[in-house]
Amino acid sequence: NPSDRRYMQKLISTAKEILGYQIVLFTTDFGYEKFLRRGSFPGGSIYTVGDTCKKPGVTFRAQHGMNERGKSPNMCSEIYTGWMTRWGEDSTMHVTAKDLAQRVEDLLKRNSSFALYMAHGGSNFGFWSGAAGTNATDFQPMITSYDYSAPIAENGHHGVDINKEDKFIALRRVLERHWNPVSDGSSRIPAEPDHIQSTALFKGKSVKLSRKASL
């Protein structure tokens, strides 16, 4: 769509005018060429990266085809550690600890950077949770919890998968294998901090919800 491209070019130029021309702006789309070309521009005006990265070789080849030569470090913008949960769905725990650890392992073997989405689960309060879907019949509201089956759960504990395997430990083991000693000579990744003790607000009591509203 020509209007979309003009709009994106305007966003790029405005951001650089305000923030400076040394910043790195990037776009992220599903990690295949046809999606990257729909959501970004070839060349050096913006850094194009892909997400999901189930096939990192395919994603990075598509990425290198969009960016300037020599200015396309391997980057997976989003490794999905789980998924969001909508009303009526059972769970987001379909990404196992084993699968997540293997994806990170594959990227580290390629000397790639990556971001975990989400690394830490959270909460959506009020109507901030929003809704999602792929079409009109599939569009459903999200639940309040955004635990996401992340390696660090909503309550700060270790996240687990549907098999009760620890995602935090699985990732930590991968990172330890690829850890490069830092300047102080440490040969191990930092120790896990002490967990903050949770406080139960209604311990031993049930809470009755009496009000409701139609969505």
Side-chain angles (χ1 to χ4, degrees):
N1 186 321
S3 295
D4 287 347
R5 300 188 73 79
R6 287 194 297 270
Y7 174 66
M8 288 180 62
Q9 288 283 21
K10 180 63 176 177
L11 290 178
I12 292 170
S13 61
T14 300
K16 289 186 174 181
E17 287 171 5
I18 295 173
L19 302 174
Y21 287 84
Q22 300 303 313
I23 65 168
V24 177
L25 301 174
F26 74 94
T27 60
T28 179
D29 292 279
F30 193 36
Y32 292 88
E33 182 179 3
K34 66 177 181 180
F35 294 101
L36 298 187
R37 291 196 175 277
R38 289 176 186 172
S40 193
F41 297 107
S45 64
I46 197 163
Y47 175 41
T48 302
V49 297
D51 59 39
T52 309
C53 310
K54 289 185 177 181
K55 297 181 179 180
V58 173
T59 298
F60 297 145
R61 281 194 296 273
Q63 175 184 314
H64 296 163
M66 291 291 292
N67 296 314
E68 284 187 338
R69 187 178 180 86
K71 295 184 178 181
S72 187
N74 291 347
M75 171 65 186
C76 183
S77 59
E78 295 178 0
I79 299 177
Y80 298 122
T81 61
W83 199 244
M84 58 197 78
T85 305
R86 301 176 302 177
W87 283 101
E89 294 178 336
D90 292 331
S91 174
T92 65
M93 297 166 64
H94 59 282
V95 177
T96 66
K98 181 179 179 180
D99 288 343
L100 178 59
Q102 186 60 59
R103 290 186 199 176
V104 172
E105 179 84 39
D106 291 344
L107 290 167
L108 290 174
K109 285 180 177 178
R110 295 172 179 269
N111 196 29
S112 307
S113 298
F114 61 88
L116 299 174
Y117 189 94
M118 303 289 291
H120 193 322
S123 306
N124 294 304
F125 297 102
F127 292 101
W128 284 88
S129 54
T134 56
N135 54 55
T137 59
D138 185 46
F139 202 71
Q140 296 293 334
M142 300 296 172
I143 64 173
T144 300
S145 172
Y146 205 75
D147 179 82
Y148 209 81
S149 185
I152 303 173
E154 182 178 16
N155 61 3
H157 292 181
H158 289 195
V160 297
D161 65 14
I162 197 168
N163 303 312
K164 304 303 180 184
E165 296 290 332
D166 193 310
K167 287 186 170 183
F168 182 91
I169 294 298
L171 279 179
R172 185 178 176 89
R173 287 172 178 162
V174 173
L175 296 175
E176 283 180 331
R177 288 198 295 271
H178 292 268
W179 181 256
N180 290 319
V182 292
S183 58
D184 63 3
S186 173
S187 60
R188 295 181 61 83
I189 61 177
E192 181 182 350
D194 294 334
H195 181 71
I196 299 174
Q197 186 65 37
S198 302
T199 301
L201 297 179
F202 301 100
K203 188 174 182 179
K205 300 179 180 179
S206 61
V207 178
K208 185 177 180 179
L209 303 178
S210 59
R211 299 177 66 182
K212 62 181 180 179
S214 173
L215 293 172

